[in-house]
Amino acid sequence: MQKRIGSLPFTGTPEQEAQLREAIARHKDEKGALMPVLQEAQEIYGYLPIEVQQIISQDMGIPMEEIFGVATFYSQFALTPKGQYKISVCLGTACYVKGSGKIFDRLSQKLGIGADDCTPDGKFSLEACRCIGACGLAPVITINDEVYGKLQPEDVDTILAKYME
Amino acid sequence: MDMVNIKINGMPMSVPKNYTILQAAREAGIDIPTLCYLREINEIGACRICVVEVKGARSLVASCVYPVNEGMEVFTNTPKVQKSRRLTLELILSNHKRRCLSCERNQNCELQQLCYDLGVEDESYFDGDNPETAIDASCAHLVRDNSKCVLCRRCVAACAEQGIGVIGTNARGFDSHIGCAFEMPLANTSCVSCGQCIVACPTGALTEKDQTDEVWEALSDPEKTVVVQAAPSIRATLGEAFGMPIGTNVEGKMAAALRRLGFDKVFDTDFAADLTIMEEANELVERIKEGGTLPMITSCSPGWVNYCELYYPELLPHLSSCKSPQQMFGAIAKTWYAKREGIDPKNMVVVSIMPCTAKKFEVGRADQSAAGVPDVDIALTTRELARMIKKAKINFANLPDEAFDSPLGEATGAGVIFGATGGVMEAALRTAAEWITGDPGAPVEFKEVRGTAGIKEAAYQVGDLNIKVAAASGLKNAAELLEKIKRGEADYQFIEVMCCPGGCVNGGGQPIQPAVVRNNVDLRALRAKALYDEDAGLALRKSHDNPAIQKVYEDFLGKPGSHVAHEVLHTSYQEQKGYK
């Protein structure tokens, strides 16, 4: 599946930009510097929006398209922001058989966003992931580092409510 | 040179150690089929069409990148090899939009040719998911239809070779596709419209934006006077579209064909090239005498002008303010000529035949409307002209040689050589040398600036001036000179820059030669030779000796650099913005 490109406004801070430029300066003269720079950029911003890729392009002298090509080739790079609460729904075999698809749909409907998307307030992001190795708890979702297992679609409402305040 | 002994299909031979199997096989008289391979610019071994068997190797190897070694035994055409190539083609066809009959590249498509040559029997054997991909027609010059793309990356390599790099491969696996950063339309990027991607494309995925219908329309409109101009390089390449040998000069047949298409007047951009020299040589002499911005850089090549505006806006004062020959032609046609003939410029359609896709952008530039209407209305590529000639069923090969119409068809050898890298420089030097020394016997040939090298430098003693010049073709080479200017290390007075490697003869609008030709024949040199040969045989070889040019100055412009000349023949440049 092709990656979604985020449409939420960019909210990077001057501190983040300074961090990014420092990371670029540190890697710039290495061979194959683009990968570690993109990894650090994603750590700093949580994703790689056009504004960030532009800074990398200018500072490293690499065309934007080349950077975008790398960012869309590797699944570790995201083009959409992660929310304050990052929800991952396991769609691995065991969870899927146990109905995680319905959990995903419920979350999607409740939050009003699709896969690889983030709510406009920046609170929740939603993504599907492959097996996280907790098949005994299928179907499983994670919210940041919390794991929720053996879910029914209705459970989604109470779980979300905890994070809503 | 170190040699190694190898066997190809059992035949022993000795080849240089640094050869690939592909190169060695060619010496043995075998052209191993290729698809993604373009010599020196795209050697990535990706498409697997060129696979061969090597004795002892675990699997088939890609001959375009596999080096030869001592004792190697290669088999280029075993059943295993044939089967593999066929399978690869069938897989490529599985999601290729097979609308060959309506495709612009029908009969000039490398994929089609491979399928025929390698005997693909069932083109829908693996028929699979065929996503309708979006068509990018955002630019004035090009259309990209990814549903005909075979992902060879030749366009990507051609773009990178120009130092631009606005297209590349996005996503991966089945989703891989050629696109721009953040999937933005090409028009939002810093694409310079050179069209080198189009001539690199093996299929119909990249094509120029066809405007032949607009021309047919104009030709059938009784209200309109339709005049046509053909750029210097077209005569050296148009014949290729009709199966003639590369480097055949078809000037006379081209004029005859244009007349048979119904153009009211058949003129020559060479005339405007001579005019450009008058203005440009004058501007150069003025800048040298009056301490203007030096080095002065030519502005004939619209891809180059786009590049300067997008990538080096701080160097725009170096650009000559002269319009390009295409635009000068239109400007003179719609002012002086229209008045002379009693034609309302609004009812005149100027069509130009250009080697260039960026010319399609150039006609829409600001500050290019000497008569209050655009100087040029429609810019066609050489390929579009060939298409029109074929559609009209004109028997091109058997046409008589005819002359251009007067007066805007009169030209000198200086105009002719504009089509090759170094040609504008040489033409300008011919005139500048005579003007500075006042000696009609001043030299005509400046051979140091000829040839296909990316950057050429020369110094000439002209009267008491020592003029140092450089000519660059291909934007990567241009960038090298521009960086030198920025560092203050460029002591040239005059630089010629052509966007496309080799100049207009290798422009993005020229007939498309398949990779096997591009890889093994020096297209640029062969086509340029046709122009230099024509120049050498002409009586008039200096722009200022052109009687039609003298007449235009006498009647209308006054002298080079006059107020009227500035109004009509000069323009200005602005920084352009685009994602890089």
Side-chain angles (χ1 to χ4, degrees):
Chain A
M1 201 177 68
Q2 279 186 51
K3 286 183 191 180
R4 254 187 49 96
I5 297 171
S7 55
L8 292 176
F10 179 59
T11 56
T13 63
E15 291 74 34
Q16 285 175 313
E17 189 174 324
Q19 259 181 295
L20 174 61
R21 289 193 195 271
E22 184 276 320
I24 295 170
R26 197 155 20 83
H27 289 291
K28 206 177 168 185
D29 299 322
E30 296 167 13
K31 205 173 171 224
L34 183 57
M35 279 300 277
V37 167
L38 286 178
Q39 282 163 333
E40 289 201 32
Q42 180 149 304
E43 265 171 48
I44 296 164
Y45 291 94
Y47 72 125
L48 300 172
I50 191 164
E51 293 82 358
V52 171
Q53 293 193 27
Q54 243 177 324
I55 295 173
I56 297 173
S57 166
Q58 279 155 9
D59 281 18
M60 298 185 74
I62 299 175
M64 288 272 286
E65 162 50 34
E66 192 177 329
I67 296 170
F68 186 75
V70 172
T72 52
F73 183 88
Y74 293 102
S75 56
Q76 62 171 305
F77 296 122
L79 302 177
T80 48
K82 295 289 171 254
Q84 183 191 351
Y85 302 112
K86 177 182 139 190
I87 308 178
S88 296
V89 181
C90 178
L91 292 184
T93 311
C95 287
Y96 193 78
V97 170
K98 286 277 199 176
S100 63
K102 285 191 181 125
I103 310 275
F104 184 92
D105 292 344
R106 181 85 169 206
L107 280 162
S108 173
Q109 178 216 331
K110 278 272 167 199
L111 296 169
I113 55 175
D116 295 326
D117 216 347
C118 184
T119 54
D121 60 3
K123 205 149 188 186
F124 295 99
S125 61
L126 180 61
E127 64 183 28
C129 67
R130 295 293 157 206
C131 182
I132 60 168
C135 308
L137 298 174
V140 167
I141 70 169
T142 61
I143 300 183
N144 292 347
D145 294 331
E146 291 291 315
V147 178
Y148 299 87
K150 299 199 169 173
L151 297 178
Q152 296 294 321
E154 311 78 80
D155 300 337
V156 163
D157 303 21
T158 40
I159 294 170
L160 280 183
K162 271 187 19 191
Y163 294 91
M164 287 282 190
E165 57 267 0
Chain B
M1 196 188 307
D2 283 348
M3 305 292 277
V4 293
N5 299 299
I6 63 167
K7 274 186 187 171
I8 293 190
N9 299 342
M11 294 181 297
M13 62 188 295
S14 179
V15 295
K17 200 177 153 186
N18 60 356
Y19 265 31
T20 60
I21 296 175
L22 185 76
Q23 286 171 301
R26 184 163 169 91
E27 289 215 345
I30 299 164
D31 278 330
I32 295 172
T34 60
L35 185 56
C36 70
Y37 175 77
L38 273 189
R39 185 166 56 93
E40 280 162 22
I41 74 162
N42 202 40
E43 301 182 346
I44 57 174
C47 76
R48 316 301 294 178
I49 292 293
C50 71
V51 290
V52 294
E53 257 188 286
V54 172
K55 194 172 178 186
R58 209 162 28 88
S59 56
L60 300 177
V61 303
S63 63
C64 69
V65 289
Y66 205 91
V68 294
N69 54 54
E70 183 60 37
M72 178 183 256
E73 288 186 49
V74 180
F75 301 92
T76 65
N77 208 25
T78 60
K80 187 176 171 188
V81 165
Q82 289 189 21
K83 192 178 161 203
S84 167
R85 290 176 185 161
R86 207 157 46 229
L87 183 70
T88 302
L89 285 172
E90 284 165 356
L91 286 167
I92 289 172
L93 291 173
S94 73
N95 71 340
H96 183 79
K97 192 205 254 173
R98 296 188 299 276
R99 304 250 176 88
C100 298
L101 293 184
S102 58
C103 181
E104 196 178 287
R105 293 291 297 275
N106 190 15
Q107 300 184 72
N108 180 23
C109 168
E110 292 181 40
L111 179 63
Q112 195 180 47
Q113 190 66 43
L114 283 170
C115 289
Y116 176 74
D117 290 347
L118 304 185
V120 165
E121 283 165 3
D122 183 356
E123 73 266 23
S124 38
Y125 190 70
F126 291 108
D127 233 359
D129 204 5
N130 232 323
E132 274 298 314
T133 44
I135 289 176
D136 186 341
S138 59
C139 287
H141 70 291
L142 164 150
V143 178
R144 186 180 64 230
D145 181 353
N146 277 343
S147 61
K148 289 179 181 170
C149 173
V150 295
L151 290 170
C152 66
R153 275 91 165 159
R154 276 160 51 169
C155 56
V156 177
C159 193
E161 180 67 12
Q162 284 281 51
I164 304 293
V166 292
I167 49 171
T169 317
N170 294 341
R172 76 166 163 191
F174 191 71
D175 294 320
S176 302
H177 61 280
I178 303 301
C180 303
F182 285 84
E183 309 296 355
M184 63 179 74
L186 190 61
N188 294 10
T189 71
S190 294
C191 169
V192 299
S193 314
C194 72
Q196 286 297 315
C197 54
I198 301 176
V199 285
C201 182
T203 71
L206 291 171
T207 54
E208 69 282 348
K209 209 176 245 181
D210 186 294
Q211 293 181 284
T212 55
D213 281 347
E214 293 170 47
V215 178
W216 292 119
E217 199 64 43
L219 288 172
S220 68
D221 185 341
E223 301 278 288
K224 305 284 184 197
T225 302
V226 188
V227 307
V228 66
Q229 55 166 326
S233 64
I234 312 299
R235 66 211 69 203
T237 60
L238 180 63
E240 292 170 31
F242 299 92
M244 295 178 182
I246 295 161
T248 308
N249 188 328
V250 295
E251 182 177 307
K253 292 186 195 310
M254 174 177 74
L258 289 168
R259 208 160 274 136
R260 279 154 186 73
L261 284 172
F263 288 102
D264 295 305
K265 290 289 171 189
V266 178
F267 291 139
D268 192 353
T269 313
D270 290 10
F271 162 86
D274 281 337
L275 190 55
T276 306
I277 288 304
M278 299 294 283
E279 292 298 319
E280 210 162 59
N282 177 69
E283 187 181 355
L284 177 66
V285 173
E286 269 181 11
R287 285 197 193 199
I288 291 174
K289 284 192 179 154
E290 290 162 21
T293 307
L294 290 173
M296 185 175 93
I297 313 180
T298 58
S299 56
C300 303
S301 164
W304 146 243
V305 172
N306 282 342
Y307 182 72
C308 195
E309 289 182 330
L310 282 159
Y311 292 82
Y312 289 91
E314 68 277 22
L315 297 183
L316 286 174
H318 289 269
L319 276 189
S320 158
S321 65
C322 291
K323 288 180 181 174
S324 74
Q326 161 176 273
Q327 299 299 120
M328 281 201 184
F329 177 92
I332 285 292
K334 290 192 177 178
T335 54
W336 176 73
Y337 179 74
K339 195 167 172 209
R340 205 183 87 144
E341 301 293 315
I343 304 166
D344 181 351
K346 289 188 188 65
N347 283 330
M348 182 187 271
V349 179
V350 174
V351 176
S352 57
I353 314 298
M354 291 287 138
C356 178
T357 46
K359 290 282 173 194
K360 288 179 183 286
F361 176 88
E362 189 184 51
V363 298
R365 286 183 70 93
D367 198 7
Q368 305 265 2
S369 316
V373 284
D375 292 336
V376 175
D377 297 279
I378 307 165
L380 297 184
T381 59
T382 317
R383 297 189 291 273
E384 289 166 278
L385 172 61
R387 214 170 291 144
M388 287 185 74
I389 295 172
K390 286 177 182 172
K391 199 177 223 178
K393 285 292 171 195
I394 292 167
N395 189 345
F396 189 79
N398 293 327
L399 287 177
D401 286 338
E402 291 183 5
F404 291 108
D405 289 316
S406 190
L408 306 185
E410 289 170 37
T412 70
V416 175
I417 58 175
F418 260 59
T421 165
V424 178
M425 173 64 66
E426 183 169 345
L429 288 170
R430 289 178 186 179
T431 287
E434 190 174 321
W435 281 355
I436 292 169
T437 61
D439 173 15
V444 174
E445 297 199 337
F446 295 83
K447 291 196 167 164
E448 294 76 8
V449 292
R450 297 185 182 182
T452 56
I455 297 178
K456 292 164 284 187
E457 293 175 307
Y460 297 104
Q461 189 65 40
V462 181
D464 45 8
L465 278 180
N466 186 274
I467 298 186
K468 201 173 166 203
V469 301
S473 72
L475 293 175
K476 245 189 194 170
N477 297 316
E480 213 174 287
L481 290 181
L482 298 176
E483 289 298 331
K484 239 175 150 176
I485 295 176
K486 277 172 76 172
R487 291 195 303 269
E489 294 165 9
D491 54 352
Y492 317 103
Q493 280 84 38
F494 191 28
I495 296 177
E496 177 202 295
V497 176
M498 290 295 151
C499 171
C500 292
C504 306
V505 287
N506 190 38
Q510 296 285 28
I512 296 176
Q513 289 290 349
V516 65
V517 173
R518 287 178 54 132
N519 290 336
N520 298 302
V521 171
D522 191 346
L523 273 185
R524 296 173 285 183
L526 287 176
R527 289 167 171 177
K529 187 173 178 299
L531 299 179
Y532 285 112
D533 286 351
E534 178 175 345
D535 166 51
L538 289 173
L540 295 180
R541 300 177 69 188
K542 292 177 178 173
S543 298
H544 54 272
D545 292 338
N546 182 337
I549 294 287
Q550 291 166 352
K551 179 96 177 109
V552 173
Y553 278 101
E554 205 181 291
D555 279 7
F556 179 52
L557 295 169
K559 56 182 186 30
S562 70
H563 181 69
V564 183
H566 268 276
E567 295 276 297
V568 176
L569 303 177
H570 290 254
T571 186
S572 52
Y573 310 100
Q574 286 88 35
E575 178 174 6
Q576 289 184 42
K577 300 263 186 206
Y579 286 100
K580 295 193 176 76

